[in-house]
Amino acid sequence: MGEFYSPLPEGYRLGQTKYVVVLGTVMSGLGKGIFIGSLARVLQDHGISVAPIKLEGYLNLDSGTLSPYRHGEVFVLDDGTECDMDLGNYERMLNIDMSRLNFATFGQIFSSVLTRERRGDYLGRDVQMVPHCTGEIKLRLRELAVQSKADVVFVEIGGTVGDLENGPYIEACRQLTLEEGSGNVCFVALTYIPSPKSLGEQKSKPAQLGLRQLMSCGILPHIIACRSREAATQTVREKIAMFVGVPLDRVFSMYDVSSVCLIPDMIREDGLDRVVLDVLGMKPRTEPGAGKDAYASMYMSAHRSAKTARIGITGKYTALRDAYASIIHAVEHAAAACGVDSDIHWIDTDGLDDE
């Protein structure tokens, strides 16, 4: 066995699958899962098949034993896999049933590597983070590609660039570019643009420093998506483009909206999907219809409705809305279907007594 360790699943050919790798900088909680679900949804509208995978850095074998205060609700897949709430976002937005192939933790990666080591699969080599753990990570991505037969695999690396536990994932994706070919891997960096009230303007410095961390890992992002309360200003976009060396038309503003169902239309209007296809050397197979998605139009109509459904929800973890993400979306969908706006009132069961 040489220095390289990059096993390929049966039937896989290098360069046959395209990959979009999404990373976060500055802070966690930027909505990478929602972003991936929205972007993949738009590519679906172009006739392109997609498959997402969430890579988590923690050593737990799954999310089943985690408190919702750590990573939001535990979403259970059809095959019983207990995983991150982002898998729920994927299923709702893409209308695809996920499986264990769409979710991996570093606990799973370590477990697989140590099992192989005990079997002697490494032929006496000292087992290391590189190339053995990174090789296992790439194997997971390629196994999903083979089983799903997707044109594009979307890879979400949980947490933030700079987190110690994310280093092997980022290194594996850097290697993926070398092995698959640069035209087959597109890196998208989500960053955050704060707007301190005391200053009255948007500041780009945190984003610049976060992106510098990513570049120090050997990755120059093809696309930068700026998360902010209001649309990122032209000045901020120009600063980031100049600092990172990314063309200005590949620095996009992803500002807050009233519902995640509106994000696919934001992506279409900005042309972000076209840039991704251009980086990957792909062309749309079908031309999506003009205008908003049917559900987005239904939601906006209901949001403007004079009628409101007030719904009380009791729970133990009401201090964190992500703990009940699926319930919130179910209420939103039902309200939109009924043509009314929804108003959820949260009731903390820990504060209830017999009276």
Side-chain angles (χ1 to χ4, degrees):
M1 180 181 291
E3 290 302 313
F4 292 100
Y5 176 77
S6 191
L8 301 179
E10 184 177 352
Y12 187 85
R13 290 182 296 103
L14 292 174
Q16 74 176 10
T17 303
K18 308 286 188 178
Y19 296 88
V20 176
V21 181
V22 179
L23 311 99
T25 72
V26 179
M27 58 183 283
S28 60
L30 294 179
K32 293 188 296 295
I34 295 293
F35 175 81
I36 285 177
S38 301
L39 179 57
R41 167 69 181 273
V42 177
L43 261 59
Q44 278 184 328
D45 292 343
H46 287 302
I48 294 167
S49 61
V50 300
I53 181 172
K54 176 72 179 286
L55 301 177
E56 284 285 12
Y58 47 74
L59 295 178
N60 307 61
L61 290 177
D62 58 37
S63 304
T65 58
L66 296 178
S67 165
Y69 287 128
R70 303 297 300 175
H71 292 272
E73 71 176 4
V74 176
F75 192 81
V76 183
L77 306 180
D78 286 353
D79 62 3
T81 301
E82 298 172 327
C83 57
D84 187 276
M85 63 178 288
D86 281 326
L87 275 291
N89 292 325
Y90 298 160
E91 287 202 351
R92 282 186 290 269
M93 304 187 83
L94 302 177
N95 196 26
I96 299 175
D97 290 331
M98 303 288 140
S99 74
R100 62 174 185 81
L101 294 172
N102 301 93
F103 180 70
T105 71
F106 222 96
Q108 295 175 13
I109 300 299
F110 270 141
S111 180
S112 295
V113 169
L114 293 176
T115 298
R116 294 180 190 276
E117 187 273 333
R118 289 291 85 188
R119 286 201 309 251
D121 291 356
Y122 300 119
L123 304 178
R125 279 286 308 273
D126 46 333
V127 181
Q128 299 176 311
M129 198 66 72
V130 180
H132 301 103
C133 287
T134 52
E136 189 70 27
I137 294 166
K138 290 180 289 183
L139 179 61
R140 291 295 183 97
L141 304 184
R142 288 160 174 162
E143 284 176 339
L144 174 60
V146 169
Q147 295 297 323
S148 66
K149 297 181 174 60
D151 299 315
V152 180
V153 169
F154 280 82
V155 183
E156 177 185 354
I157 298 179
T160 309
V161 172
D163 293 344
L164 187 62
E165 61 269 25
N166 283 341
Y169 286 138
I170 296 173
E171 171 61 18
C173 291
R174 185 193 68 81
Q175 295 175 16
L176 197 71
T177 303
L178 302 176
E179 297 174 9
E180 300 286 345
S182 59
N184 293 318
V185 182
C186 174
F187 286 101
V188 182
L190 256 67
T191 193
Y192 182 63
I193 309 297
S195 305
K197 289 185 178 180
S198 59
L199 299 179
E201 64 174 338
Q202 294 179 339
K203 305 301 290 185
S204 65
K205 188 61 68 177
Q208 293 178 30
L209 297 177
L211 291 165
R212 173 176 286 176
Q213 277 191 307
L214 179 59
M215 295 164 67
S216 71
C217 297
I219 294 176
L220 176 65
H222 299 93
I223 297 168
I224 298 173
C226 301
R227 290 284 292 110
S228 55
R229 285 200 299 268
E230 294 86 25
T233 64
Q234 179 79 359
T235 299
V236 164
R237 291 175 56 244
E238 289 176 353
K239 284 184 178 180
I240 292 175
M242 178 178 63
F243 182 85
V244 182
V246 173
L248 181 60
D249 60 3
R250 292 188 178 185
V251 180
F252 293 90
S253 173
M254 300 296 296
Y255 53 89
D256 292 347
V257 291
S258 59
S259 173
V260 298
C261 72
L262 305 179
I263 298 176
D265 283 314
M266 181 189 297
I267 288 174
R268 290 190 191 94
E269 291 168 5
D270 289 347
L272 197 157
D273 55 320
R274 299 283 181 167
V275 174
V276 170
L277 293 176
D278 182 58
V279 171
L280 297 176
M282 304 178 71
K283 293 184 178 180
R285 293 172 183 167
T286 59
E287 196 65 30
K292 295 183 179 296
D293 287 341
Y295 175 73
S297 298
M298 185 170 64
Y299 169 81
M300 290 304 297
S301 176
H303 193 56
R304 292 189 292 265
S305 172
K307 297 180 179 180
T308 300
R310 298 178 70 242
I311 300 172
I313 299 178
T314 60
K316 182 179 180 181
Y317 303 101
T318 54
L320 180 71
R321 300 297 180 258
D322 281 353
Y324 302 100
S326 292
I327 294 176
I328 294 172
H329 288 299
V331 170
E332 284 185 353
H333 294 175
C338 294
V340 299
D341 199 6
S342 59
D343 181 18
I344 297 177
H345 290 257
W346 297 95
I347 304 166
D348 185 356
T349 53
D350 286 341
L352 296 178
D353 53 31
D354 291 341
E355 183 178 353

